[in-house]
Amino acid sequence: MKNNILITGSAGFMGLGLTSRLLKLSDSDDSKIVLLYHHDKPTNYLDMPRVVVVKGDLNDYASLCDIISKYEINTIYHFASDSILKRCFDNPVNAYEVNVMGTVNLLEAVRNVGVDTIKKIIVSTSSKVYGDTPAPYDEETLLKPKHTYECTKACQDIVAQNYFSSYNLPINIVRCTNLYGPNDPNASRVIPTTIKTINRKEKPQVYSGVKDAVREFVYIDDLVDAVLLIAEKADNGEVFCVGGLEAISINALIEKICSLMGYDGEIETVEKLAFFQESKDQSIDDSKLRNLGWNPKFTLDRGLAECIKSEAYR
């Protein structure tokens, strides 16, 4: 059965990972995969016959309607987001326009031109929506954001819930913890930054104030497994938390990377920057997703080993 797919944020880490998997799963399928991008073009997929690469803007409602109609979209994976903490901190208006109003425009386009064709919409928000709520979080945990990025993601989450409850759109929400893996295009994240620093024969750094903060990390392949499982099996309106196999402090994470790379030098502590406004401990109870059939395969050590081998981090 034909399933034309739209992926927003297609040049981001989640978009690239999902596109790669979809192409492997159905190589002979005549369904289209429409990759919507705004700044960075997903160049790896430009000449593939099943892939359509479209430059667009989530705040251009008319173009979203046109894309959904023209390509007869059946499934949407909404991954587009401004996820750079510093950029959100410096420009909150843009963060709200992209993360919140972009989601409103997309779901409005579905409501007005896609109700007869679209069977599933996956909206990716973040575990950051829980803010300072005590961890571990699950789907029933109160959303309690404080800072700009996490507030925009919480608003995005609530918008998606609204469009399911009020307009019966076939939406599922995925609240994912920290994502990692080879070829992450966001080189500012702690794992690629640390690996690149050690490869350059420089001292890895950890920010003061967050070095003891606990985080959970999920490998890109495990996240793609989760997203595809939710799209296939979850009832509309359900929310799912996606965690990893281990919660760890930032300092211990950097020490683990150092050990795996054979670096036994100093880890330099630098001042915490203003845009690092996050809660101390974050971890996920993903029992609901596991009960649906999800089984993550990558331990943190295994995932980090894959990252260390990546040419992109050299």
Side-chain angles (χ1 to χ4, degrees):
M1 181 182 297
K2 182 179 285 190
N3 178 27
N4 292 329
I5 294 168
L6 171 64
I7 302 177
T8 74
S10 60
F13 198 19
M14 293 176 68
L16 292 171
L18 178 62
T19 301
S20 177
R21 179 74 66 82
L22 289 172
L23 289 169
K24 292 175 183 176
L25 286 174
S26 52
D27 188 50
S28 61
D29 196 341
D30 64 350
S31 299
K32 294 292 185 185
I33 302 174
V34 180
L35 304 182
L36 182 66
Y37 77 98
H38 185 50
H39 293 297
D40 300 318
K41 184 181 289 188
T43 54
N44 290 351
Y45 304 110
L46 292 182
D47 299 320
M48 295 187 175
R50 292 182 50 223
V51 175
V52 180
V53 178
V54 179
K55 182 175 176 60
D57 189 332
L58 287 174
N59 286 308
D60 186 344
Y61 169 77
S63 72
L64 294 174
C65 290
D66 182 64
I67 290 167
I68 290 169
S69 299
K70 178 179 179 180
Y71 298 106
E72 299 178 327
I73 299 299
N74 309 115
T75 302
I76 297 176
Y77 295 95
H78 179 38
F79 297 158
S81 177
D82 189 343
S83 59
I84 307 299
L85 294 185
K86 187 178 189 309
R87 194 161 58 211
C88 291
F89 177 82
D90 290 340
N91 192 347
V93 172
N94 182 73
Y96 278 96
E97 286 178 346
V98 173
N99 296 353
V100 184
M101 291 311 301
T103 302
V104 172
N105 285 321
L106 179 65
L107 297 182
E108 267 296 283
V110 173
R111 186 171 78 90
N112 286 292
V113 303
V115 289
D116 294 328
T117 60
I118 291 178
K119 307 304 180 186
K120 183 65 75 174
I121 306 165
I122 304 294
V123 177
S124 171
T125 63
S126 171
S127 63
K128 300 290 191 296
V129 299
Y130 298 113
D132 285 331
T133 304
Y137 320 125
D138 63 18
E139 294 77 9
E140 302 303 319
T141 302
L142 178 69
L143 308 190
K144 196 178 177 182
K146 285 185 177 180
H147 306 299
T148 303
Y149 171 70
E150 58 196 43
C151 284
T152 66
K153 298 303 283 186
C155 291
Q156 182 188 46
D157 198 295
I158 292 168
V159 165
Q161 293 181 52
N162 167 216
Y163 272 80
F164 166 72
S165 298
S166 295
Y167 307 111
N168 201 32
L169 295 193
I171 292 171
N172 290 112
I173 297 169
V174 175
R175 297 173 184 159
C176 181
T177 190
N178 299 281
L179 183 62
Y180 78 107
N183 306 312
D184 182 353
N186 183 359
S188 66
R189 292 191 177 108
V190 62
I191 291 174
T193 295
T194 302
I195 294 171
K196 285 184 173 184
T197 300
I198 295 172
N199 280 329
R200 291 195 303 262
K201 311 299 183 184
E202 298 172 1
K203 292 180 183 178
Q205 295 181 334
V206 61
Y207 285 118
S208 63
V210 296
K211 63 187 296 184
D212 296 320
V214 173
R215 297 289 183 265
E216 196 164 338
F217 295 84
V218 60
Y219 192 75
I220 181 65
D221 289 12
D222 287 334
L223 174 66
V224 172
D225 286 345
V227 167
L228 292 174
L229 179 68
I230 292 165
E232 178 186 0
K233 292 189 174 181
D235 293 334
N236 294 337
E238 287 194 287
V239 178
F240 290 90
C241 291
V242 184
L245 290 172
E246 181 179 347
I248 188 171
S249 73
I250 297 298
N251 196 64
L253 171 69
I254 293 174
E255 289 177 342
K256 183 183 285 287
I257 294 171
C258 291
S259 176
L260 290 169
M261 296 183 71
Y263 173 85
D264 58 2
E266 179 187 359
I267 298 172
E268 183 180 8
T269 299
V270 297
E271 286 302 309
K272 177 184 174 183
L273 302 179
F275 64 85
F276 276 107
Q277 299 175 316
E278 291 192 279
S279 59
K280 180 173 174 56
D281 296 333
Q282 299 171 357
S283 61
I284 291 291
D285 177 353
D286 52 25
S287 302
K288 181 178 179 181
L289 182 58
R290 289 174 184 265
N291 289 336
L292 191 69
W294 183 63
N295 182 28
K297 302 175 180 65
F298 283 80
T299 63
L300 186 57
D301 279 21
R302 180 186 174 192
L304 289 175
E306 292 298 318
C307 294
I308 291 165
K309 291 189 297 185
S310 174
E311 289 296 324
Y313 297 161
R314 297 195 178 276

